[in-house]
Amino acid sequence: MEVLNLDPRCWTASTLDMREIKLSYRKKSLLLHPDKCRHPRGPEAFEMLKSAETEITEDARRAWLVAVVAEARQIVFRRKRIVSLPSFERQPDEANELAALIRLETRRLLADQGNRDSIRIKNEVERRAAEQLQMAEEKKRKAEHDKQWEEVRPLRTCII
């Protein structure tokens, strides 16, 4: 959203315009394309722009991002005790303040989600490692059991 310089106030499923997204991407890509931009970190910035554009044009991801921004908007409105959407034409300073607060809250929600994802991945890796360790121990116990079974075989097969 910020990479493409899209206003978070208009980020709802009905107002998100794909033409606006593509136009913003094209304008920024002309500035950041590695053939045009000689800055040492230009290619990195261009990759970030491409990643943002890909994410926002993918339907499922865009729907998730719109939901996160809507949640951030609700949180900001609750904190500010705003009941209905204010008229931004009459109060541009308040609109800019709300947009900044919505951006910050969106960043916080996305960071929280990233933290939850990293914790989930860490737990999954630990669980798989524990499963592999348990399987290795089970295999070792079975091998030991089979070895003992074979050692007493002559005693079992001896006819008395």
Side-chain angles (χ1 to χ4, degrees):
M1 175 175 75
E2 288 184 34
V3 172
L4 293 170
N5 202 24
L6 299 172
D7 189 356
R9 292 178 303 216
C10 64
W11 261 64
T12 63
S14 61
T15 61
L16 191 58
D17 186 15
M18 291 305 293
R19 287 187 312 238
E20 182 182 336
I21 292 168
K22 288 183 181 189
L23 181 65
S24 179
Y25 172 74
R26 286 188 182 126
K27 284 180 181 178
K28 297 244 182 201
S29 67
L30 286 174
L31 294 173
L32 296 174
H33 194 277
D35 292 342
K36 304 273 185 184
C37 180
R38 299 291 178 220
H39 192 277
R41 295 185 65 192
E44 180 182 328
F46 186 71
E47 286 300 317
M48 187 184 301
L49 179 67
K50 280 190 343 189
S51 164
E53 192 265 344
T54 302
E55 234 178 64
I56 206 164
T57 54
E58 183 182 312
D59 290 339
R61 186 69 173 168
R62 183 176 59 250
W64 180 77
L65 288 169
V66 166
V68 169
V69 172
E71 183 180 350
R73 186 181 302 114
Q74 287 177 345
I75 291 169
V76 168
F77 280 18
R78 255 185 270 131
R79 282 187 194 148
K80 292 288 226 173
R81 292 183 174 83
I82 298 173
V83 178
S84 64
L85 191 64
S87 173
F88 293 125
E89 292 79 25
R90 288 183 283 156
Q91 303 160 339
D93 292 339
E94 184 180 350
N96 291 335
E97 178 189 352
L98 282 175
L101 290 172
I102 291 169
R103 276 191 177 102
L104 286 172
E105 189 61 31
T106 301
R107 278 188 206 146
R108 188 191 65 75
L109 290 173
L110 291 172
D112 287 350
Q113 181 64 37
N115 290 340
R116 283 191 294 265
D117 288 346
S118 64
I119 289 169
R120 181 184 48 79
I121 289 169
K122 178 185 170 205
N123 290 340
E124 181 70 19
V125 167
E126 288 175 354
R127 184 188 61 78
R128 286 185 182 171
E131 283 178 358
Q132 287 177 347
L133 183 62
Q134 185 179 7
M135 286 174 42
E137 288 175 0
E138 184 67 31
K139 189 175 180 181
K140 184 178 175 182
R141 267 189 254 126
K142 183 171 176 18
E144 184 66 31
H145 178 267
D146 290 346
K147 181 181 174 187
Q148 288 175 354
W149 182 258
E150 287 301 318
E151 286 176 353
V152 294
R153 184 178 191 167
L155 299 175
R156 286 191 326 265
T157 56
C158 178
I159 299 177
I160 301 179

